[in-house]
Amino acid sequence: MQGMSERRYAAHAGVSRGAVQKARLAGRLVLFADGSIDAAGSDARRAAMTDPAKQRPAPSRGKLKPVPEAALSAVGETLREQGLSAPAVGGSTTFLQARTANEVLKAQERRLKLQKLKGELVALDRAKILVFRLAREERDAWVNWPGRVAALMAAELGVDTATMHDLLERQVRTHLAELADVRADFR
């Protein structure tokens, strides 16, 4: 036998034996007189005659794509949040660790969706609007308070009503200015 058998050529080309047989019938292989396959000639002819759009990508044979550092750190962070062992930063993440982190994230996502459906979880924008509205109502109640109680307090203490109103209003505005420095952090 001068050349390769169908099985040997299939292993050489990285395709199945059936693909080699189809290529032989389609005339994409170079054959020796004894029917064996000329590997170099067949490789060239197959490359020239095969539509690249219809070819499968070559198997990676140990060449793995590098995983972005951000993805690896996210896996480690998720595992640590759940109290599971995570690789050190820059260490290698195993497939099992990555799959575990993926399952944990899917479970967390399902839990959040369920909480949202039950009404236990609200959107951040809606929460901000509600907190702002509540703070404004509270501020308005305090701003109006000196006008409501100044006359009663002045009569009880025997002082001028206008003086009492001015004093209370000044103190309330000072207190509200201090409270205005407080910012709601929704993170």
Side-chain angles (χ1 to χ4, degrees):
M1 185 185 272
Q2 276 184 296
M4 293 184 173
S5 67
E6 287 179 352
R7 282 193 178 98
R8 276 191 57 209
Y9 185 72
H12 162 79
V15 295
S16 68
R17 184 169 176 229
V20 172
Q21 290 172 339
K22 285 181 186 177
R24 179 190 288 256
L25 291 174
R28 290 191 308 254
L29 297 180
V30 176
L31 304 174
F32 287 114
D34 64 354
S36 62
I37 301 170
D38 175 9
S42 294
D43 288 345
R45 184 177 288 175
R46 281 183 52 242
M49 294 181 71
T50 304
D51 181 6
K54 293 184 179 180
Q55 284 187 329
R56 292 183 186 160
S60 60
R61 296 190 204 271
K63 295 179 185 175
L64 299 176
K65 287 185 191 176
V67 178
E69 189 63 37
L72 292 175
S73 65
V75 167
E77 184 179 317
T78 302
L79 291 172
R80 279 188 288 282
E81 283 175 1
Q82 298 302 311
L84 301 170
S85 65
V89 177
S92 61
T93 301
T94 65
F95 177 73
L96 182 60
Q97 288 172 322
R99 188 159 70 185
T100 301
N102 184 47
E103 292 302 316
V104 166
L105 287 173
K106 286 195 296 188
Q108 288 173 345
E109 184 180 20
R110 283 189 204 113
R111 187 179 70 236
L112 289 174
K113 283 182 182 178
L114 184 61
Q115 287 175 330
K116 194 171 183 179
L117 287 172
K118 287 181 176 179
E120 297 171 357
L121 199 62
V122 296
L124 181 61
D125 292 340
R126 178 150 169 72
K128 285 180 180 179
I129 289 169
L130 293 174
V131 168
F132 182 79
R133 187 180 303 153
L134 178 64
R136 176 172 278 168
E137 288 173 4
E138 189 74 19
R139 184 205 61 194
D140 292 346
W142 273 105
V143 167
N144 294 327
W145 181 75
R148 286 195 340 254
V149 298
L152 296 172
M153 291 175 76
E156 237 180 83
L157 295 173
V159 294
D160 179 43
T161 302
T163 305
M164 177 61 79
H165 183 268
D166 290 343
L167 177 65
L168 285 174
E169 189 170 343
R170 204 171 43 247
Q171 293 302 318
V172 166
R173 290 197 183 274
T174 302
H175 183 64
L176 288 175
E178 291 170 2
L179 290 176
D181 292 338
V182 176
R183 296 283 179 218
D185 185 10
F186 293 97
R187 284 183 264 152

